[in-house]
Amino acid sequence: MAVRLVRDCSVLEVPAAGEVTVAEHRDIEIADGQIIAVRATGEPSKGVGDVVDGTGLLAIPGLTNSHTHSPMVMFRGAAEDVSVEDWFNVRIWPMEVNLTPERVRVGARLACAEMLLCGVTGFVDHYFHADQIARAAQELGIRADIAPTYFSSSGAEGRAAAFDAVDAILALNDPRIRASLGPHSTYTVTEKDLRITADHARDLGLKVHLHVAENMDQTRSSVERLGVTPIQVADRTGVLDAGTVIAHGCGITPADIEILAPYADRTGVSSGPKGYLKHALDPVTPVRGLLDAGVTVGAGTDGAASNNTLDVLEAMQYIALATKQQEHDVMALTISDALRIGTRGGATLSGMGSTLGALEPGRRADIVLVDLSGVHCRPVHDPRAALLYSARAISDVHTVIVDGLLVVQDHTLLTYDLQEILSDADAIASELLDLSTGGAIQHYAP
Amino acid sequence: MAVRLVRDCSVLEVPAAGEVTVAEHRDIEIADGQIIAVRATGEPSKGVGDVVDGTGLLAIPGLTNSHTHSPMVMFRGAAEDVSVEDWFNVRIWPMEVNLTPERVRVGARLACAEMLLCGVTGFVDHYFHADQIARAAQELGIRADIAPTYFSSSGAEGRAAAFDAVDAILALNDPRIRASLGPHSTYTVTEKDLRITADHARDLGLKVHLHVAENMDQTRSSVERLGVTPIQVADRTGVLDAGTVIAHGCGITPADIEILAPYADRTGVSSGPKGYLKHALDPVTPVRGLLDAGVTVGAGTDGAASNNTLDVLEAMQYIALATKQQEHDVMALTISDALRIGTRGGATLSGMGSTLGALEPGRRADIVLVDLSGVHCRPVHDPRAALLYSARAISDVHTVIVDGLLVVQDHTLLTYDLQEILSDADAIASELLDLSTGGAIQHYAP
């Protein structure tokens, strides 16, 4: 179902800098999955593909979830009201012993369905059995950049297997599916392995995606053990230079920001404060400082085991509010900043900064039509504020187009049977929480 | 449309203290608007009224919005990315010059519709033209406790008019509509007026509802000017003793909590951190300290001009997350705490603590059926976590019963034509933002 025209919508215009604006009564013309024109509504031209009626809807650039572990939707709600240490060591890492390729596939399908219905057109993933995630993304018609994850505790074979998984994703040769290198973190992967991974990334022309300075405790612990911060570890191992998606970065210091700045053309940070607040982290990602240094920031939900949703609209709201409070400055993150982070920012972190993230001629047609007519958005004095602070994913996401193809129409997923996805997930939900086998995939002691 | 039975639902059991639990396959039997039994699903008994099918739905106590200015939905999105001072002095208070009884009625209807569709069955309001809010609440079938607001700058006549408005609400003689005394705040109302108001409240057997210590700047300014905190002002004027809903209280100090504790049977605090973060307030309400001192806390959205929604489910989530972070303790506010705040806490602040806030025999039947079957809630390992951290108002609020009457069924408002409410609001939206008249209803200089 290729779309050739979205007719008579409002368009959220997200420039690389400055104020986000809304243009009314626009037609978005699409050919071969690419936006070829955004113009005042006129006579529909002829051509191949569907015309989507955008009347009364706001077209926004497809949102990118710039850091997630998508199959972890299977653990949603299974690790609540616990410390960071217990979250890892008592709940999640023991449960992840139960992962199998089939179970990861089922979880990834559920996650892709949730994301599409939330207006997320692409995600930057970091998990095990990555080939299964890639296949699920293909089945559902969502973009993905997937980093097969490994710990150094799994030895050279673990690292090699993760590299092989990258090759397997590349072999799919699907322009919507990308791969990155996925060492777990600076505290679970040795500097030797980080160096090897950074070199391998450079050889393949791929990015690295890993957890760095997730919280300030990790930064303090790193300085105590090694004399340097996690960002410095990523720097001296060549990870920053290779080009990297840094997940979380709540423990990034002002001096770290100066280290990051020279790599700003290829290295950025994904932030998702909902989960940070939930884990009582203070500070959260220094988003304002990063933006001021020219470092790209994206909105990421992390896995649903900590964030409970894969909702990027919600993540943008939390970024705006947590940053305003942290900086003690209402202007520290404006509506325009937040909307840019969820669109252009995420697109850049997914490696598609020049081809996604804005509704402009020449970019790929990843378009979400949002309905701001709900009672909770009215009256709409400012559609940008309504989008960020009043609208909700699911109920207000009307239509989703990925690479010019219609994947959600009138709140309905077109690409896969949603009921089958849900019942498949329910069928294995309790098996994944079973701790009777014992053991854990890793131990948290950063 | 009186309901006599909600059949085969799950029930959220919210005790006065301790863990919130979920009981499955329950029938809730109702007679004359009162819950008379909650029992294992069995044969439907005969009687007068409708049977509501609760299959697959979670029945929760109706949520209470424990502090709002409902007609301010008309200013939603009209005061973004501005400081607290500019929010008051450049945007809202100049705009409120445009308030008329008719415009307040239109706004209140919109607010009541939004709240009911969000699962809010009662609200504690604080605004001008309060009689119009009362009539809107009656029209929509939602509970309200309304405090007609005044500033001392409007003189003895302003105060007398607000007291008269209380009498007018009481004269409605509607058990679902209550009144409180509504001096604006400790910084806009003189101590003399606060004393008169507290005495009047005691005479009438009503509560006071006002803004106290909205932020720590106000507390510092009060100490500088008067040598005492805003809470001490409320204490020495008899406001706390009369029984009070304290709005916000982000500037409540540890010493203030000790002052509040002896009044805990009649004085509590409403908190809504979404707006506090948006206004860069740090700290937010000391919810954990208040609860530890036995002080009731409710969830309140404030007006939509700051909070952008009237969504109590969202407010509970922000209370949980902001409190965990502020206390640097993931256990500082558990899921059970948060759910209790939005249900029992709010009911208590609305003056209905013994008759609302839990689904127990003897209490009034304010019941919300929530649908946790959406893709964003699945799998449901823990329905309490799904409710607090994954579910969304609007899309997941299926059915709403207030005082035994069906007001929302299958996401549809039954009591009023929603399209009429929305078009009435759109028709006057720009008039309310018109600043050409000049002036302001008050000046912010706490």
Side-chain angles (χ1 to χ4, degrees):
Chain A
M1 289 191 258
V3 178
R4 68 176 167 87
L5 192 70
V6 180
R7 195 170 148 68
D8 199 15
C9 56
S10 298
V11 170
L12 190 78
E13 300 173 323
V14 184
E19 191 99 349
V20 170
T21 52
V22 173
E24 295 188 354
H25 298 298
R26 287 292 181 278
D27 287 353
I28 305 174
E29 210 169 337
I30 301 165
D32 298 324
Q34 190 177 53
I35 297 172
I36 55 170
V38 181
R39 48 178 168 70
T41 297
E43 285 305 300
S45 56
K46 291 191 170 54
V48 178
D50 290 346
V51 176
V52 171
D53 181 13
T55 309
L57 301 173
L58 175 67
I60 70 171
L63 302 171
T64 297
N65 188 348
S66 62
H67 172 71
T68 187
H69 316 283
S70 63
M72 293 185 80
V73 288
M74 295 307 302
F75 301 110
R76 195 194 315 260
E80 299 298 332
D81 291 336
V82 291
S83 67
V84 171
E85 289 71 20
D86 283 359
W87 189 90
F88 279 116
N89 290 331
V90 179
R91 304 291 175 98
I92 298 302
W93 280 348
M95 290 176 184
E96 288 186 331
V97 166
N98 299 314
L99 293 174
T100 64
E102 295 71 24
R103 290 170 179 172
V104 165
R105 179 75 157 265
V106 165
R109 279 196 202 111
L110 177 62
C112 292
E114 179 185 353
M115 286 191 276
L116 286 173
L117 290 163
C118 287
V120 176
T121 53
F123 63 106
V124 183
D125 211 348
H126 190 270
Y127 210 57
F128 313 101
H129 305 297
D131 56 320
Q132 299 297 321
I133 302 171
R135 304 299 282 274
Q138 288 185 307
E139 291 170 332
L140 276 280
I142 187 171
R143 283 183 204 278
D145 177 333
I146 309 165
T149 303
Y150 76 92
F151 303 106
S152 286
S153 59
S154 57
E157 311 80 54
R159 190 188 65 218
F163 289 6
D164 289 347
V166 169
D167 295 339
I169 294 170
L170 296 175
L172 295 175
N173 203 21
D174 181 336
R176 291 171 307 177
I177 309 293
R178 301 167 61 96
S180 292
L181 280 293
H184 176 265
S185 68
T186 50
Y187 61 89
T188 53
V189 175
T190 63
E191 294 200 33
K192 181 188 162 203
D193 279 341
L194 290 174
R195 270 193 201 91
I196 292 169
T197 305
D199 288 343
H200 193 56
R202 256 184 304 263
D203 289 346
L204 295 173
L206 301 179
K207 284 189 291 46
V208 182
H209 177 186
L210 82 173
H211 301 94
V212 187
E214 295 176 295
N215 53 57
M216 201 51 87
D217 282 344
Q218 289 182 6
T219 300
R220 277 187 287 265
S221 163
S222 175
V223 170
E224 275 168 31
R225 283 184 301 112
L226 308 171
V228 293
T229 66
I231 289 291
Q232 288 175 296
V233 171
D235 187 20
R236 74 185 183 190
T237 52
V239 167
L240 299 185
D241 181 60
T244 295
V245 175
I246 293 171
H248 312 316
C250 299
I252 290 176
T253 67
D256 285 337
I257 294 177
E258 289 180 38
I259 294 170
L260 286 166
Y263 304 110
D265 64 334
R266 53 198 186 280
T267 288
V269 180
S270 174
S271 182
K274 181 183 177 186
Y276 311 151
L277 270 58
K278 196 162 165 237
H279 282 140
L281 301 191
D282 181 15
V284 300
T285 323
V287 172
R288 184 69 261 161
L290 290 164
L291 293 177
D292 286 345
V295 178
T296 298
V297 176
T301 66
D302 208 358
S306 52
N307 196 77
N308 300 71
T309 63
L310 303 181
D311 178 352
V312 174
L313 208 49
E314 181 186 61
M316 292 191 295
Q317 183 181 114
Y318 271 98
I319 287 175
L321 299 187
T323 303
K324 285 168 184 279
Q325 189 201 35
Q326 177 156 294
E327 302 296 331
H328 296 166
D329 177 4
V330 292
M331 294 304 291
L333 209 101
T334 64
I335 291 172
S336 292
D337 292 332
L339 297 177
R340 185 159 30 241
I341 282 171
T343 53
R344 279 184 183 262
T348 299
L349 294 191
S350 76
M352 303 281 281
S354 58
T355 47
L356 289 176
L359 301 181
E360 295 170 353
R363 291 183 185 252
R364 303 302 297 171
D366 287 15
I367 304 170
V368 176
L369 299 179
V370 181
D371 182 353
L372 298 177
S373 72
V375 62
H376 53 292
C377 295
R378 300 285 284 276
V380 184
H381 290 301
D382 180 347
R384 307 163 316 151
L387 177 65
L388 184 63
Y389 289 130
S390 301
R392 294 178 180 85
I394 305 287
S395 62
D396 303 337
V397 170
H398 185 279
T399 293
V400 180
I401 298 164
V402 179
D403 214 41
L405 302 175
L406 201 57
V407 289
V408 172
Q409 187 172 33
D410 199 6
H411 308 275
T412 303
L413 182 68
L414 302 179
T415 47
Y416 210 99
D417 180 343
L418 181 60
Q419 288 313 314
E420 185 183 328
I421 290 174
L422 295 173
S423 59
D424 285 353
D426 283 348
I428 62 164
S430 63
E431 295 168 14
L432 277 160
L433 269 55
D434 179 14
L435 297 181
S436 64
T437 319
I441 62 162
Q442 180 74 15
H443 183 75
Y444 184 80
Chain B
M1 287 189 262
V3 178
R4 68 177 168 86
L5 192 70
V6 181
R7 195 171 148 69
D8 200 16
C9 56
S10 297
V11 170
L12 190 79
E13 300 172 324
V14 184
E19 191 99 349
V20 169
T21 53
V22 173
E24 294 188 353
H25 298 297
R26 287 292 182 277
D27 288 352
I28 305 175
E29 209 168 337
I30 301 165
D32 298 325
Q34 190 177 53
I35 298 172
I36 56 172
V38 181
R39 50 179 166 69
T41 298
E43 285 305 301
S45 56
K46 292 190 171 55
V48 179
D50 289 347
V51 176
V52 171
D53 182 12
T55 308
L57 301 172
L58 174 66
I60 69 170
L63 302 171
T64 297
N65 188 348
S66 62
H67 172 70
T68 187
H69 316 283
S70 63
M72 291 185 81
V73 287
M74 295 307 302
F75 302 109
R76 196 193 318 258
E80 299 298 332
D81 291 335
V82 291
S83 67
V84 171
E85 287 72 20
D86 284 357
W87 189 90
F88 279 116
N89 289 331
V90 179
R91 304 292 175 97
I92 298 301
W93 279 348
M95 290 174 185
E96 287 186 333
V97 166
N98 299 315
L99 293 174
T100 65
E102 296 69 26
R103 289 168 179 173
V104 166
R105 179 76 156 264
V106 166
R109 279 197 202 110
L110 177 62
C112 291
E114 179 185 354
M115 286 191 276
L116 286 173
L117 290 163
C118 285
V120 176
T121 53
F123 64 106
V124 183
D125 211 346
H126 190 272
Y127 210 56
F128 312 101
H129 305 296
D131 56 320
Q132 299 297 322
I133 303 171
R135 305 297 283 274
Q138 287 185 306
E139 289 170 333
L140 275 281
I142 187 171
R143 282 183 204 279
D145 178 332
I146 308 165
T149 302
Y150 77 92
F151 304 107
S152 286
S153 59
S154 59
E157 310 80 55
R159 189 188 67 218
F163 289 6
D164 288 348
V166 169
D167 295 338
I169 294 169
L170 296 176
L172 295 174
N173 203 21
D174 181 336
R176 291 171 307 176
I177 309 294
R178 301 166 61 94
S180 292
L181 279 294
H184 176 265
S185 69
T186 51
Y187 61 89
T188 53
V189 176
T190 64
E191 294 201 33
K192 181 187 159 201
D193 278 341
L194 290 174
R195 270 194 202 93
I196 291 170
T197 305
D199 288 343
H200 194 56
R202 255 186 304 263
D203 290 345
L204 295 173
L206 301 178
K207 285 189 289 49
V208 182
H209 176 186
L210 82 174
H211 302 93
V212 186
E214 295 176 294
N215 54 58
M216 201 52 87
D217 282 344
Q218 290 182 5
T219 299
R220 277 189 286 264
S221 163
S222 174
V223 170
E224 275 169 31
R225 282 184 301 111
L226 308 170
V228 293
T229 66
I231 290 290
Q232 287 176 297
V233 171
D235 188 21
R236 73 186 183 188
T237 52
V239 167
L240 300 184
D241 181 60
T244 296
V245 174
I246 293 171
H248 312 317
C250 299
I252 291 175
T253 67
D256 285 336
I257 294 177
E258 288 181 39
I259 294 169
L260 286 166
Y263 303 111
D265 63 334
R266 54 197 185 281
T267 288
V269 179
S270 175
S271 182
K274 181 183 178 188
Y276 311 151
L277 270 59
K278 196 160 165 241
H279 283 139
L281 301 191
D282 181 13
V284 300
T285 323
V287 172
R288 184 68 260 162
L290 290 165
L291 293 177
D292 287 345
V295 178
T296 298
V297 176
T301 65
D302 208 357
S306 51
N307 196 78
N308 299 71
T309 64
L310 303 181
D311 177 351
V312 174
L313 208 50
E314 181 186 60
M316 292 191 295
Q317 184 182 114
Y318 271 98
I319 288 174
L321 299 187
T323 303
K324 285 169 184 279
Q325 189 200 35
Q326 176 156 295
E327 302 296 330
H328 296 167
D329 177 4
V330 292
M331 295 303 289
L333 209 100
T334 64
I335 291 172
S336 292
D337 292 332
L339 297 177
R340 185 161 28 242
I341 283 170
T343 54
R344 280 184 181 262
T348 298
L349 294 191
S350 76
M352 305 280 282
S354 58
T355 48
L356 289 176
L359 301 181
E360 295 171 352
R363 292 182 185 251
R364 303 302 298 172
D366 288 14
I367 305 169
V368 176
L369 298 180
V370 180
D371 183 353
L372 299 176
S373 71
V375 61
H376 53 292
C377 295
R378 302 284 283 274
V380 184
H381 290 301
D382 180 346
R384 305 163 317 152
L387 177 64
L388 184 63
Y389 290 129
S390 301
R392 293 178 181 85
I394 306 286
S395 63
D396 302 338
V397 170
H398 185 280
T399 293
V400 181
I401 298 165
V402 179
D403 213 40
L405 302 175
L406 202 56
V407 290
V408 172
Q409 187 172 33
D410 199 7
H411 309 276
T412 303
L413 183 67
L414 302 179
T415 46
Y416 211 98
D417 180 342
L418 182 60
Q419 288 313 314
E420 185 184 328
I421 290 174
L422 295 173
S423 58
D424 286 352
D426 284 347
I428 62 163
S430 62
E431 296 169 14
L432 278 161
L433 268 56
D434 178 14
L435 297 182
S436 63
T437 319
I441 62 162
Q442 179 74 17
H443 183 75
Y444 184 80

